[in-house]
């Protein structure tokens, strides 16, 4: 692209960011920090300025933070137009216009899409509308759920034992509430961390009083005559009475508004190159449309250049900053997004953190601590190299393993001070579920090598 056009963009261009959340805010700040002086517009479907989501399933439910006071701090003045409470409804690539749900249109010279994800709803609409059935994704979701939990329900039923479901279970037990959690797989967190670690997560839940039901699905939510949820029916024909149900079935990427736009967008996200430029449906990269955050599918050099979709706080920040930089610089000055995935969770006062891409691993090796003590580090391997690591209350080692992963260190892990590995420090199968089956735990999704997104259909016939 001619240098004079880039300079014009920097001085006078119109940049529109669709998605007024973490990635959108950090991209806007980076644009201003790197000298963009043109017109900047942020579009968001919620009526609030960007706020932090991780506290919603942790500190907010425990009463340590208010859902109304989780706003993200602004690192600098933005001088931006905010279009809040009105979602984007369409995109005209040729005319360079974003259509809004209120009928308005916003023109752009550069566009960043950072629309993120939304909670996957309970598939039976009538049951989903019962009083006492909740999702947990937004600030308003957290406020409504907190109010209900404070009223002291007899039992909370959680559908899905991914990270969010496990965190809600932890908060509810700390509040003294009775909790049942159902998971179609054999243990919690298996989609994210595999069966070896899932067994540890299962013990953590049950020892803290959670009634954990595995290898079952929910067949129906039953309401009473006042349209309040009263019971949950399971595939093993058991029935659990509950007056609060939290649906934690994972997420849906917010790409529906791009149908017919010509972008390579689908259920797994919007395909983009390592420089965050979006692909169109033919697999041709665009120069004016960029993608960042949870909604992006981008190739990563460390992981075989497969397209990854990451639902990680740190990735949203790093990718947004890279996208913003690349939007307003010449091609030779663009940089790739090579952030190493990292994720953390807190459950029953145990801190869980991972680096790399655990679901890519086919083996795991406990290198520090022990599973029995629930204080350990596990390292995942794939085709003879380290691909990820996870720590349970033993996270000081993870920075070391992050560097090992980035340099392609060999797996199994070597212990250079010894002639052989310490007894018991041997690789075992990581025991991930069949990737073709839906699970509720993954925060990283690998989706092949093609920018074209094949249509995926999730059918939780019973959860």
């Amino acid at each position: 692209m001619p240098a004079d056009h880039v300079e014009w963009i920097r001085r006078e261009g119109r940049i529109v960011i669709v998605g007024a959340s973490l990635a959108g805010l950090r991209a806007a700040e980076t644009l201003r920090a790197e000298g963009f002086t043109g017109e900047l517009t942020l579009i968001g479907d919620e009526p609030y300025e960007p706020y932090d989501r991780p506290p919603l399933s942790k500190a907010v439910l425990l009463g340590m933070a208010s859902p109304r006071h989780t706003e993200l701090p602004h690192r600098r003045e933005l001088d931006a137009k905010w279009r809040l409470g009105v979602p984007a409804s369409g995109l005209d690539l040729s005319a360079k216009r974003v259509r809004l749900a209120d009928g308005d249109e916003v023109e752009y010279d550069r566009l960043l899409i950072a629309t993120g994800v939304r909670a996957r709803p309970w598939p039976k609409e009538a049951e989903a509308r019962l009083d006492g059935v909740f999702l947990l994704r937004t600030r308003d979701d957290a406020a409504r759920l907190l109010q209900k939990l404070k009223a002291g329900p007899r039992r909370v039923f959680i559908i899905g034992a991914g990270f969010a479901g496990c965190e809600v279970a932890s908060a509810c037990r700390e509040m003294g509430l009775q909790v049942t959690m159902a998971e179609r797989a054999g243990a919690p967190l298996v989609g994210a961390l595999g069966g070896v670690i899932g067994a540890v997560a299962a013990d953590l839940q049950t020892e803290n009083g959670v009634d954990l039901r595995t290898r079952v699905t929910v067949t129906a939510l039953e309401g009473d005559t006042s349209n309040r949820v009263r019971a949950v029916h399971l595939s093993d024909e058991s029935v659990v009475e509950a007056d609060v149900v939290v649906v934690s079935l994972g997420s849906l990427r917010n790409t529906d508004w791009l149908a017919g736009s010509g972008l390579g967008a689908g259920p797994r996200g919007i395909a983009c190159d390592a420089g965050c430029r979006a692909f169109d449906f033919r697999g041709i990269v665009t120069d004016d449309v960029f993608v960042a955050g949870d909604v992006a599918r981008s190739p990563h050099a460390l992981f075989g250049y497969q397209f990854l979709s990451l639902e990680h706080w740190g990735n949203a920040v790093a990718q947004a900053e890279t996208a913003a930089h690349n939007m307003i610089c010449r091609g030779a000055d663009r940089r790739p997004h090579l952030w190493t995935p990292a994720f953390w969770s807190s459950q029953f006062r145990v801190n869980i953190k991972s680096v790399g891409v655990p679901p890519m691993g086919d083996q795991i090796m406990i290198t520090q601590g022990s599973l029995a003590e629930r204080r350990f580090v596990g390292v995942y391997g794939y085709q003879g190299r380290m691909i990820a690591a996870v720590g349970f209350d033993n996270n000081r080692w993870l920075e070391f393993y992050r560097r090992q992963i980035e340099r392609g260190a060999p797996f199994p892990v070597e212990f250079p001070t010894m002639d052989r590995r310490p007894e018991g420090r041997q690789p075992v199968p990581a025991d991930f579920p069949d990737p073709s089956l839906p699970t509720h735990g993954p925060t990283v999704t690998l989706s092949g090598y093609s920018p074209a997104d094949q249509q995926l259909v999730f059918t939780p016939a019973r959860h």
Side-chain angles (χ1 to χ4, degrees), residues 191-245:
L193 300 175
V196 172
I197 305 303
V200 179
D203 289 343
L204 184 63
Q205 293 287 330
T206 56
E207 288 176 17
N208 282 278
V210 174
D211 172 25
L212 178 63
R213 312 285 185 98
T214 58
R215 303 193 188 282
V216 295
T217 56
V218 174
T219 57
L221 305 180
E222 180 186 341
D224 62 16
T225 55
S226 299
N227 212 36
R228 293 187 296 252
V229 68
R230 64 171 298 274
V232 180
H233 294 252
L234 301 175
S235 57
D236 61 4
E237 299 188 354
S238 62
V239 179
V240 179
E241 292 189 0
D243 39 1
V244 171
V245 174

Side-chain angles (χ1 to χ4, degrees), residues 113-423:
I113 302 174
T115 45
V117 300
R118 64 188 184 277
R120 187 184 297 278
W122 182 246
K124 300 177 181 179
E125 292 184 13
E127 295 177 2
R129 289 194 297 267
L130 290 171
D131 181 20
V133 177
F134 295 88
L135 300 174
L136 181 56
R137 172 66 187 173
T138 69
R139 187 172 117 172
D140 288 342
D141 291 339
R144 287 191 290 264
L145 178 57
L146 178 61
Q147 183 180 21
K148 196 75 169 183
L149 296 179
K150 281 182 173 179
R154 291 170 297 141
R155 179 170 294 274
V156 178
F157 195 105
I158 300 168
I159 307 177
F163 278 111
C166 289
E167 289 170 2
V168 172
S170 173
C172 289
R173 289 300 297 142
E174 193 158 332
M175 296 172 73
L177 300 172
Q178 297 300 306
V179 177
T180 297
M181 183 161 59
E183 167 59 45
R184 70 162 74 224
L189 308 184
V190 291
L193 300 175
V196 172
I197 305 303
V200 179
D203 289 343
L204 184 63
Q205 293 287 330
T206 56
E207 288 176 17
N208 282 278
V210 174
D211 172 25
L212 178 63
R213 312 285 185 98
T214 58
R215 303 193 188 282
V216 295
T217 56
V218 174
T219 57
L221 305 180
E222 180 186 341
D224 62 16
T225 55
S226 299
N227 212 36
R228 293 187 296 252
V229 68
R230 64 171 298 274
V232 180
H233 294 252
L234 301 175
S235 57
D236 61 4
E237 299 188 354
S238 62
V239 179
V240 179
E241 292 189 0
D243 39 1
V244 171
V245 174
V246 180
V247 178
S248 186
L249 294 175
S251 56
L252 296 169
R253 287 173 173 82
N254 290 318
T255 59
D256 296 354
W257 67 283
L258 294 168
S261 68
L263 282 187
R268 295 180 294 187
I270 305 166
C272 62
D273 68 4
C276 307
R277 296 180 300 173
F279 286 101
D280 68 15
F281 72 98
R282 299 164 297 180
I284 298 173
V285 74
T286 62
D287 250 331
D288 299 323
V289 181
F290 292 72
V291 194
D294 295 358
V295 77
R297 289 178 64 228
S298 58
H300 201 301
L302 287 178
F303 307 104
Y305 293 96
Q306 278 207 62
F307 281 89
L308 302 183
S309 303
L310 304 175
E311 295 179 41
H312 293 177
W313 196 96
N315 179 72
V317 172
Q319 195 168 31
E321 291 173 347
T322 298
H325 169 83
N326 291 347
M327 291 174 86
I328 56 171
C329 70
R330 295 173 300 171
D333 296 325
R334 287 175 175 163
R335 60 179 187 239
H337 172 61
L338 291 175
W339 187 78
T340 300
F343 180 82
W344 72 276
S345 176
S346 180
Q347 303 166 24
F348 301 107
R349 296 185 174 84
V350 173
N351 189 262
I352 304 169
K353 186 173 181 179
S354 70
V355 292
V357 182
M360 198 172 179
D362 51 17
Q363 291 185 303
I364 187 170
M365 181 177 179
I366 304 305
T367 56
Q368 277 84 27
S370 74
L371 296 175
E373 295 174 359
R374 282 205 289 274
R375 183 179 174 84
F376 62 87
V377 175
V379 178
Y380 296 83
Y382 176 69
Q383 295 185 347
R385 57 162 287 202
M386 287 187 209
I387 209 76
V390 62
F392 269 54
D393 272 351
N394 201 342
N395 296 333
R396 63 192 178 95
W397 284 95
L398 290 186
E399 179 59 24
F400 166 78
Y401 283 117
R402 181 187 65 78
R403 294 193 298 269
Q404 297 293 301
I405 292 163
E406 289 176 353
R407 74 176 184 86
F411 183 91
V413 178
E414 300 297 332
F415 292 84
T417 60
M418 306 177 186
D419 294 332
R420 60 186 177 82
R421 295 189 196 103
E423 187 174 351

Side-chain angles (χ1 to χ4, degrees), residues 39-107:
E39 182 180 287
L40 181 59
T41 303
L42 287 93
I43 298 168
D45 60 345
E46 293 186 69
Y48 313 114
E49 288 200 16
Y51 60 88
D52 211 10
R53 296 187 192 273
L56 299 182
S57 59
K58 304 178 183 76
V60 167
L61 294 187
L62 291 172
M64 298 162 59
S66 166
R68 307 296 181 197
H69 296 94
T70 54
E71 296 91 348
L72 288 163
H74 289 214
R75 301 187 297 199
R76 63 181 297 119
E77 288 296 322
L78 289 183
D79 183 25
K81 296 180 180 179
W82 293 85
R83 301 292 301 267
L84 300 176
V86 183
S89 60
L91 174 63
D92 187 331
L93 284 177
S94 59
K96 294 188 176 181
R97 287 184 179 138
V98 176
R99 291 190 293 274
L100 303 184
D102 64 2
D104 201 0
E105 294 187 343
V106 182
E107 296 181 333

